[in-house]
């Protein structure tokens, strides 16, 4: 009886094992099928995302008019530099009304491209953009635009995956149309210009795609030299998928390591199968029960992992990933019932200062308390998320502009309430807020978030504790700022920041004692840009160090032509606190062999306020080199006698706003006279800026001012013009003080 029982047990086990192997294989096949479908869908969705991303750039009156008149310089600056460098497109073309190429650009090589080199492989996309109703299978994105004359026009964008120059790429073909409500010349039936944008599906995109869906070592197999061969992944454990265009043409093949869920499943089942040799009938029941429980556990574990990946671990609010997933679904609901949706972005001001003052534990407690306060303000069916840092986002369906403003201001007021934390710690905070309303301000989730963020930036710049709504001008300002930033970086790299000079005269106005070096910038496209605009931008972008060194070097090289006068150069707070001005000045003095005693470095009071200790160290280091240090624009900031006592300045420059009263009735010159007397008492050289009239000069001379500067004597001029100016004043030159 033993043998039949054993045989029966073995046979039963074999049946069970065979069933498991078959089931495991089917599970692997199903998993593989879903992986392939997911990847193909993700790449297609990426194309739609790029098409929506380009919509603000192609529904724009400036773009419509510039391309219509074939403004190649503008197209190269905007389509080439802006879309290529900032948004990352690899190829850009513009086709005219008859689909003939009028512009082609490669941002990487900054070279022109010939659309004909593509061999007509985008002709179907061009036709789909021209006639979306006839080629509905391409899923064109059609946006209705209301023109100024009451007529309507349609903006069309189509996307597909193609093999461009041996690289799998996403291609977007979009019509270029004017803004709604703008008055432009657009004849009925006139075909629009087309923008063709190409983004390579390179290794970075592929790695992010694999990371997003948990597919390891995802690589392309194709003609490109930087594509890893499939063999490098381990062919025996590799899964591949052909990526196709809409007409079925193969673009390339993706390979990734195949995750086989069956292996783990069988490994866990083996102990139970061994037990089946003894109690086969009982094992059958137990195996079925265990299999069901295990499958349920795996599903629960997967759901938990998905939830954890979409939840902020500190506040337990949805994070950025969850926000980007849920916002489009909420938008679709509002579009179905034709209602509005408000996107609010709220940020705690100077949150780093709270962490620095109280520590990260208190900072975390403030964020948790803020999440509770804001959650209590939510209308029905709303969502609050913490995408990062001290920023919170509220998505509120059904809210119009007035209700969104009220909610945003309520959020600011809630954050302004004192935080009483564990241990009795009291923390005070303020907040800024911006909001955008869909669909008026945008139909896409990313578009609304970006525009709410632009409004938040405006709120922060305004420095007022009230919310600000998005306006179309903010988009234009952001675009202009990006163009300005790129142009400034190019100007710094090319060395096209120029240096002008304005003379410093003695009190008689006849003798030149020195010159002040002034940075100036004129861009070929943007024209002259005020220092009040490009200097703060240079500080924000970090190029101020290079500009400062360039101005200093140019001034000292030019100053060697004028041996009997001083050279004054301005230094910003950013140069002091984020660089080593002493080392830069020492290096340039050695390089140019310029006498240190003839150099003056001018600092503003903002340098002292930001970090007094650092400013004092840098100032003493400059004076140890033999350089004079001047306090510039005295009286415009938080002027204090304590600064003048603690810091050993050599010169005091009175701001031009005080000079306007020089020579006026006595009561309006009391402050100015007091400043001059204070400078004398502290044994400082006194310089008056902004002198424009002879009456002002005489009053300042009588009051004991040592040096004068202003348009009465000269505007800022070039080095050659300054040489001529000095020659005119040569007989009356005085030795620099």
């Amino acid at each position: 009886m033993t043998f039949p029982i054993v045989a029966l047990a073995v046979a039963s086990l074999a049946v069970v094992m065979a069933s498991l192997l078959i089931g495991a294989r089917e599970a692997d096949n199903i998993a593989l099928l879903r992986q392939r479908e997911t990847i193909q869908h993700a790449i297609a969705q990426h194309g739609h995302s790029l098409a929506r991303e380009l919509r603000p750039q192609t529904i724009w009156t400036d773009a419509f008019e510039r391309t219509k008149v074939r403004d190649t310089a503008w197209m190269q600056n905007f389509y080439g530099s802006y879309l290529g460098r900032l948004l990352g497109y690899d190829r850009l073309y513009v086709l005219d009304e008859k689909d003939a190429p009028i512009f082609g650009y490669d941002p990487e090589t900054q070279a022109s491209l010939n659309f004909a080199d593509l061999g007509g492989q985008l002709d179907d996309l061009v036709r789909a953009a021209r006639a979306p109703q006839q080629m509905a299978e391409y899923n064109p994105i059609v946006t209705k635009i209301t023109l100024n004359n009451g007529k309507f026009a349609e903006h069309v964008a189509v996307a597909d995956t193609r093999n461009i120059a041996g690289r799998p790429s996403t291609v977007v073909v979009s019509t270029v149309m004017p803004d709604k409500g703008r008055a432009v010349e657009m004849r009925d039936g006139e075909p629009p210009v087309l923008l063709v944008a190409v983004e390579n599906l390179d290794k970075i995109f592929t790695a992010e795609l694999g990371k997003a869906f948990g597919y390891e070592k995802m690589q392309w197999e194709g003609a490109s030299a930087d594509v890893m061969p499939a063999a490098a992944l381990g062919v025996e454990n590799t899964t591949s998928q052909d990526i196709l265009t809409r007409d079925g043409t193969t673009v390339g093949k993706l390979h990734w390591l195949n995750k086989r869920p069956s292996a783990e499943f069988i490994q866990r089942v083996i102990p139970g199968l061994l037990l089946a040799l003894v109690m086969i009938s009982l094992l059958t029941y137990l195996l079925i029960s265990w299999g069901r429980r295990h499958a349920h556990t795996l599903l629960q574990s997967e759901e938990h992992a998905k939830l954890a990946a979409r939840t902020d671990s500190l506040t337990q609010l949805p994070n950025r990933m969850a926000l980007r997933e849920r916002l489009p679904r909420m938008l679709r609901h509002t579009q179905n019932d034709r209602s509005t949706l408000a996107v609010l972005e709220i940020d705690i001001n100077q949150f780093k200062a709270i962490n620095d003052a109280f520590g990260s534990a208190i900072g975390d407690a403030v964020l948790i308390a803020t999440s509770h306060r804001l959650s209590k303000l939510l209308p029905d069916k709303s969502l609050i998320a913490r995408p990062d840092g001290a920023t919170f986002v509220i998505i509120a369906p059904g809210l119009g502009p007035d209700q969104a403003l009220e909610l945003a201001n309520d959020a600011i007021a809630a954050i302004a309430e004192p935080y009483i934390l564990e241990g009795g710690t009291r923390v005070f905070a303020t907040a800024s807020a911006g909001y955008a309303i869909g669909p008026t301000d945008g139909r896409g989730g990313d578009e609304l978030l970006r525009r709410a963020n632009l409004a938040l930036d405006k709120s922060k710049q305004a420095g007022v504790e009230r919310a600000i709504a998005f306006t179309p001008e903010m988009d234009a300002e952001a675009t202009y700022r990006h163009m300005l930033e790129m142009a400034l970086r190019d100007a710094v790299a090319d060395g096209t920041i120029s240096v002008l000079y304005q003379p410093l005269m003695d009190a008689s106005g006849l003798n030149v004692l020195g010159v002040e070096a002034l940075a100036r910038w004129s861009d070929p496209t943007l024209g002259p840009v005020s220092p009040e605009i490009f200097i703060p931008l240079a500080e924000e972008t970090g190029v101020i160090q290079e500009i400062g060194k360039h101005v200093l070097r140019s001034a000292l090289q030019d100053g060697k032509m004028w041996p009997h006068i001083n050279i004054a150069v301005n230094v910003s707070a950013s140069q002091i606190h984020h660089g080593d001005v002493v080392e830069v000045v020492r290096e340039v003095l050695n390089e140019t062999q310029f006498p240190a005693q003839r150099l003056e470095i001018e600092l503003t009071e903002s340098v002292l306020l930001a970090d007094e200790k650092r400013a004092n160290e840098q100032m003493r280091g400059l004076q140890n080199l033999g350089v004079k240090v001047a306090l510039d624009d005295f009286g415009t900031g938080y002027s204090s006698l304590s600064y003048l006592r603690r810091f050993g300045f050599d010169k005091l420059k009175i701001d031009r706003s005080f000079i306007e009263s020089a020579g006026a009735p006595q009561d309006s010159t009391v402050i100015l006279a007091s400043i001059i007397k204070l400078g004398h008492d502290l044994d400082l050289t006194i310089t008056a800026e902004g002198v424009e009239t002879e009456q002002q000069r005489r009053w300042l001379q009588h009051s004991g001012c040592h040096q004068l500067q202003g348009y009465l004597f000269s505007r800022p001029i070039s080095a050659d013009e300054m040489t001529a100016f000095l020659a005119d004043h040569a007989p009356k030159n005085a030795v620099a003080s």
Side-chain angles (χ1 to χ4, degrees), residues 480 484 487 520-530 534:
Y480 176 75
L484 195 67
R520 293 294 185 266
W521 175 36
S522 182
D523 182 76
T525 302
L526 303 173
V529 183
S530 168
F534 78 80

Side-chain angles (χ1 to χ4, degrees), residues 209-227:
L209 178 64
K211 183 179 179 181
F213 294 99
Y215 305 151
E216 297 179 4
K217 297 185 179 180
M218 178 171 284
Q219 298 287 349
W220 283 99
E221 175 184 319
S224 177
D226 62 348
V227 173

Side-chain angles (χ1 to χ4, degrees), residues 594-609:
F594 188 86
Q597 64 271 19
R598 287 178 52 212
L599 174 61
E600 297 178 359
I601 296 296
E602 298 185 359
L603 310 176
T604 62
E605 291 172 87
S606 61
V607 174
L608 312 180
L609 290 171

Side-chain angles (χ1 to χ4, degrees), residues 59 61 64-65 144-153 177-186 188:
I59 304 179
T61 298
F64 176 82
E65 293 176 339
K144 197 171 186 180
I145 305 171
T146 304
L147 300 178
N148 193 55
N149 56 12
K151 296 183 179 180
F152 296 91
M177 304 294 288
D179 295 347
K180 61 181 180 181
R182 290 285 296 270
V184 297
E185 182 181 352
M186 184 175 182
D188 291 340

Side-chain angles (χ1 to χ4, degrees), residues 170 371 381 490 511 527 681 688:
T170 294
S371 70
K381 301 180 181 179
D490 290 341
N511 301 310
D681 293 342

Side-chain angles (χ1 to χ4, degrees), residues 270-332:
I270 286 177
L273 293 178
L274 294 177
L275 184 59
L277 291 171
V278 180
M279 301 183 65
I280 188 63
S281 59
L282 179 61
L283 176 62
T284 303
Y285 171 77
L286 293 177
L287 183 60
I288 293 174
S289 299
W290 181 87
R292 288 176 177 173
R293 287 196 305 271
H294 184 63
H296 182 66
T297 301
L298 288 177
L299 288 175
Q300 284 185 326
S301 176
E302 184 178 353
E303 290 299 323
H304 178 74
K306 288 182 178 179
L307 180 62
R310 290 160 176 77
T311 303
D312 174 42
S313 59
L314 178 64
T315 62
Q316 299 304 304
L317 294 177
N319 61 13
R320 180 177 296 278
M321 181 185 294
L323 180 64
R324 293 176 70 91
E325 290 177 350
R326 295 172 64 177
L327 178 54
R329 294 199 295 267
M330 298 175 75
L331 269 172
R332 284 195 294 272

Side-chain angles (χ1 to χ4, degrees), residues 613-626:
K613 180 180 177 182
R614 172 69 175 173
N616 191 33
E617 291 173 352
Q618 293 282 289
M619 179 174 162
R620 297 303 180 189
L622 290 170
Q623 292 175 325
N624 289 337
L625 295 177

